[in-house]
Amino acid sequence: MKDVGLVGVPYSGKSTLFTALTRTGAVGGRANQAVVAVPDPRLGVLAGLERSARIVPAQVRFVDAPGGTSAQALAALRETDALCLVLRAFGPDPNPAAELAEIRADLLLADLTLIEGALENARKRLKGRGPNAQQEVETLERAHAALVEETPLSQAGLDEADAKYLRGLAPLTLKPWIPVANLDEGTNEPGDLPEGTLGVFAEIEAETAAMPPEEARELLSEFGVKEPGLERVIAACYGALDLITFLTTGEDESRAWEVRRGARAPEAAGVIHSDMERGFIRAEVMSYEDLVAAGGWDAAKHHGHLRVEGKEYVVREGDVLHVRFAV
């Protein structure tokens, strides 16, 4: 499960967006958290075909940090995997581009302070500690130089070897950022925001939070909202985090799992259970489309759609897996 933080200047409608996304209320003065199911209509189809006893969707936790970019808020946001930068594009005289610049500057400054402290400590520890300590200092020096130049660490050209020295610090500018324009009803995303900015009608969607999902979707469609904000925000976060979804199905359950794009079959098996990764033998794989077209797992297998894949197989979006393992 991934954590997504919401950050914005005061009165950006950040807590309203939290309510719209999670269908829960937000309490002022503390970090609000809520776990939501990732919408995936494929699960219902699989459950019907395989007569599954239950459906288990993937989940995302949203974190509404208090106080804009206060120290308390930044501490809560460091524990997340991605950040939604909430920008006011409603009401009188909105200036979302200026808000984006302000949030960006605050996050850069917070990381600069963080890295300066870590670099000072690393230099003190350097004497007599060998090549790894030297590499840590050099990584922190490159990170510090980038932040001084107002470059987010995600754009600083740091490689995987560098990242291992930074992950424990949880820099905010190393996380993916998804700008979200909080719109007035009937308006579009402002043209001066980055490509990929999402436009969400948070107030309208928050007003439907207490309604059954299908009723809410029907009402939102009357306001021109074709796809709820939750689905679009999660899709953007999955894209930014480079995640895909694979599926499992059977009589017990039909379930969605998240894994990084490019993961091989044993890593995907480990998402299900660590024993499966350790004892991985093979994965029996078919595409969701082939399974549905055939009318079920056994029928798809009969028609030759089942593939037996080994440890080098790279899992694809929508793969349906049966993992064979021994411990």
Side-chain angles (χ1 to χ4, degrees), residues 244 261-265 307 310-316 319:
I244 63 169
R261 188 179 303 277
R264 300 186 188 278
R307 308 188 311 275
K311 293 182 178 181
E312 297 305 309
Y313 177 69
V314 176
V315 177
R316 304 169 187 167
D319 274 350

Side-chain angles (χ1 to χ4, degrees), residues 214-277:
E214 288 306 314
E215 290 184 21
R217 185 183 290 270
E218 183 177 346
L219 180 60
L220 290 172
S221 68
E222 296 178 7
F223 288 97
V225 180
K226 298 179 181 179
E227 187 178 15
L230 173 64
E231 296 176 18
R232 298 172 62 233
V233 169
I234 288 179
C237 290
Y238 268 42
L241 290 165
D242 214 16
L243 298 175
I244 63 169
T245 302
F246 71 93
L247 308 160
T248 57
T249 189
E251 291 184 0
D252 291 339
E253 65 179 28
S254 287
R255 185 165 186 157
W257 308 85
E258 64 186 31
V259 71
R260 66 176 184 87
R261 188 179 303 277
R264 300 186 188 278
E267 183 179 341
V271 173
I272 302 172
H273 196 285
S274 57
D275 285 349
M276 288 189 174
E277 183 171 12

Side-chain angles (χ1 to χ4, degrees), residues 58-238:
Q59 295 180 319
V60 169
R61 178 185 290 111
F62 285 101
V63 179
D64 173 23
T69 53
S70 66
Q72 182 184 6
L74 295 176
L77 294 171
R78 290 200 189 283
E79 299 178 7
T80 64
D81 300 291
L83 299 177
C84 285
L85 313 187
V86 185
L87 313 170
R88 184 175 70 87
F90 64 88
D93 302 319
N95 194 344
E99 289 190 5
L100 178 59
E102 181 179 344
I103 295 169
R104 183 181 188 276
D106 286 345
L107 299 180
L108 285 164
L109 179 59
D111 273 3
L112 181 60
T113 302
L114 177 77
I115 296 298
E116 283 178 344
L119 179 57
E120 181 180 354
N121 291 333
R123 284 170 173 164
K124 289 178 181 178
R125 297 192 304 267
L126 177 60
K127 189 175 181 180
R129 287 196 57 194
N132 288 341
Q134 181 63 42
Q135 186 176 351
E136 179 183 9
V137 169
E138 291 174 357
T139 296
L140 290 169
E141 286 176 341
R142 286 195 293 274
H144 183 267
L147 293 167
V148 168
E149 295 296 322
E150 300 183 359
T151 300
L153 295 180
S154 61
Q155 301 172 18
L158 301 172
D159 59 21
E160 184 60 28
D162 295 321
K164 72 179 183 179
Y165 293 108
L166 296 175
R167 286 199 185 97
L169 300 172
L172 296 163
T173 67
L174 194 59
K175 304 177 189 297
W177 293 355
I178 301 97
V180 179
N182 192 355
L183 301 172
D184 259 331
E185 177 189 342
T187 62
N188 298 315
E189 295 91 338
D192 54 353
L193 292 176
E195 183 179 355
T197 296
L198 299 178
V200 177
F201 304 104
E203 184 173 1
I204 296 173
E205 294 206 35
E207 290 175 355
T208 69
M211 300 173 60
E214 288 306 314
E215 290 184 21
R217 185 183 290 270
E218 183 177 346
L219 180 60
L220 290 172
S221 68
E222 296 178 7
F223 288 97
V225 180
K226 298 179 181 179
E227 187 178 15
L230 173 64
E231 296 176 18
R232 298 172 62 233
V233 169
I234 288 179
C237 290
Y238 268 42

